[in-house]
Amino acid sequence: MRRALITGITGQDGMYLAELLLGKGYQVYGLVRGQNNPKLPLLAEVVPGVTILTGDLLDLSSLMSALTAAQPDEVYNLGAISLVAYSWENARLTTDVTAGGVLNILEATRLYEHQAGTRVRFYQASSSEMFGKVQQVPQSESTRFWPRSPYAVAKAFGHHMTVTYRESYDMHASSGILFNHESPRRGPEFVTRKVSLAAARIKAGLQEQLMLGNLDARRDWGFAGDYVEAMWRMLQQDQADDYVISTGRMHSIRDLLDVAFTEVGITDWAPFVKVDPRFLRRAEVDALVGDSTKAHRQLGWWPRIDFTELVQMMVRADVDTITSARTA
Ligand code: GDP
């Protein structure tokens, strides 16, 4: 039986990846931070087969203990402080966890390989935010990074460190440059879920207005359930490498509002939406769109769910939750 250790197991991607790996017969270990982590009950409900280990990306010895306990064939580093807007207010903490944490888990994995006399395959969750002020359209593995937030700088560090460990120690360490990926499990601090939740709540009469930032920002949004499949495929290759994972299609926040409000039967969202400068960013990433030709060719990976289906799925899930809370 193959064994995997996932950091960031309580996040959206951690849960989808755990489901995928459990379905493939893996023994799955999840690293959970903090005492009495509030997300543990949800994790136990969604993916009950995961073995929980406690540890923190800031604490190298806790990572060594987790690796020794899990004896993994594969390590997926999904743990990070992941909110771009928050990263300006907490630049140091974001850097410690989202950048320094990658170094810690790479180092722990290297030491574990040495001690146990085994090989481990490593996945780093890199981000399209590293492209920031884009130097090329669409963005591929060879596009130069221009990070525009402390979060993006931290992710660029993690990416380069993963490549450096691969080249320095011959580790099987891959970096997935994932474009925005969403699902009904996305936190409401991200714009897709904020909009899907608001559309459902406005329709139900529970909310009157939706305050947003830049309505003209454009992103390449895919479904998280599709993207975890790409992570796993990367670790099944003979050679570790870097891959852009994206849909290749770009949509604006306005497009997102169109699909979400149409799904609840509201044809004009304008009366409900207000721009609030509090949600504008100090340095915006205007438009991201990925070129996943390499992933199509080498991994045989393609996204299954498109933007419209994704937004509809998210709105329906929020409508269902509100409806079942009312009838309960
Ligand atoms: P990100 O791409 O990782 O930063 O994902 P987000 O979902 O947080 O933001 C995507 C885009 O939506 C960014 O360009 C934001 O500026 C834009 N946006 C506009 N209004 C909002 C808002 O109210 N909240 C968030 N999170 N983003 C918003």
Side-chain angles (χ1 to χ4, degrees), residues 223-245:
F223 172 50
D226 288 344
Y227 285 35
V228 297
E229 170 83 27
M231 300 177 186
W232 176 76
R233 287 187 184 215
M234 283 178 219
L235 299 207
Q236 310 317 306
Q237 304 303 303
D238 289 341
Q239 300 294 327
D241 209 336
D242 309 318
Y243 297 92
V244 160
I245 302 299

Side-chain angles (χ1 to χ4, degrees), residues 128-304:
S128 57
E129 286 292 318
M130 302 187 302
F131 296 121
K133 189 173 166 189
V134 297
Q135 301 297 296
Q136 203 183 332
V137 180
Q139 296 86 51
S140 72
E141 294 79 7
S142 57
T143 303
R144 198 183 145 202
F145 299 154
W146 194 303
R148 298 265 282 168
S149 63
Y151 167 79
V153 172
K155 280 289 180 185
F157 174 97
H159 172 81
H160 289 304
M161 197 56 87
T162 302
V163 175
T164 298
Y165 266 60
R166 180 168 76 221
E167 293 178 355
S168 308
Y169 300 110
D170 194 29
M171 280 174 67
H172 194 294
S174 292
S175 172
I177 306 173
L178 269 53
F179 281 61
N180 297 54
H181 44 289
E182 320 291 315
S183 74
R185 293 181 194 156
R186 191 60 143 153
E189 64 275 29
F190 292 89
V191 75
T192 50
R193 184 74 199 294
K194 188 174 174 180
V195 168
S196 71
L197 205 51
R201 287 175 55 86
I202 287 170
K203 180 66 181 178
L206 297 171
Q207 184 175 333
E208 285 174 3
Q209 291 221 300
L210 168 59
M211 311 297 254
L212 290 174
N214 178 13
L215 303 186
D216 297 313
R218 286 174 295 161
R219 289 288 184 279
D220 178 336
W221 281 292
F223 172 50
D226 288 344
Y227 285 35
V228 297
E229 170 83 27
M231 300 177 186
W232 176 76
R233 287 187 184 215
M234 283 178 219
L235 299 207
Q236 310 317 306
Q237 304 303 303
D238 289 341
Q239 300 294 327
D241 209 336
D242 309 318
Y243 297 92
V244 160
I245 302 299
S246 64
T247 71
R249 296 281 153 89
M250 191 159 62
H251 297 275
S252 67
I253 309 295
R254 291 175 196 279
D255 299 333
L256 170 63
L257 288 161
D258 285 344
V259 178
F261 279 81
T262 302
E263 187 59 23
V264 295
I266 299 174
T267 45
D268 182 15
W269 47 260
F272 302 102
V273 174
K274 290 259 173 316
V275 171
D276 183 336
R278 279 187 306 140
F279 296 111
L280 297 174
R281 299 198 172 162
R282 286 171 195 279
E284 176 64 301
V285 171
D286 297 315
L288 293 174
V289 60
D291 172 357
S292 286
T293 307
K294 182 175 172 184
H296 302 326
R297 289 212 182 117
Q298 293 188 26
L299 304 178
W301 176 87
W302 293 86
R304 295 201 189 104

Side-chain angles (χ1 to χ4, degrees), residues 14-154:
M15 289 194 233
Y16 279 109
L17 180 63
E19 276 174 338
L20 178 82
L21 297 180
L22 288 168
K24 290 182 185 297
Y26 277 70
Q27 177 131 16
V28 179
Y29 294 82
L31 190 77
V32 172
R33 177 180 56 93
Q35 206 176 346
N36 201 12
N37 189 308
K39 286 185 174 172
L40 271 180
L42 177 66
L43 182 68
E45 190 191 315
V46 179
V47 270
V50 172
T51 306
I52 299 300
L53 299 171
T54 47
D56 195 309
L57 285 169
L58 296 177
D59 183 340
L60 182 69
S61 66
S62 78
L63 300 177
M64 285 299 300
S65 303
L67 280 151
T68 306
Q71 297 178 24
D73 303 294
E74 298 172 8
V75 171
Y76 294 86
N77 185 38
L78 312 185
I81 295 187
S82 65
L83 194 62
V84 172
Y86 176 89
S87 76
W88 279 280
E89 320 310 324
N90 298 274
R92 178 71 218 203
L93 183 63
T94 301
T95 304
D96 287 347
V97 178
T98 305
V102 185
L103 176 57
N104 282 344
I105 185 83
L106 278 166
E107 188 61 9
T109 304
R110 183 181 77 82
L111 293 170
Y112 170 74
E113 280 189 323
H114 189 68
Q115 276 176 14
T118 185
R119 293 270 286 167
V120 177
R121 295 185 172 199
F122 181 91
Y123 173 84
Q124 168 58 18
S126 291
S127 162
S128 57
E129 286 292 318
M130 302 187 302
F131 296 121
K133 189 173 166 189
V134 297
Q135 301 297 296
Q136 203 183 332
V137 180
Q139 296 86 51
S140 72
E141 294 79 7
S142 57
T143 303
R144 198 183 145 202
F145 299 154
W146 194 303
R148 298 265 282 168
S149 63
Y151 167 79
V153 172

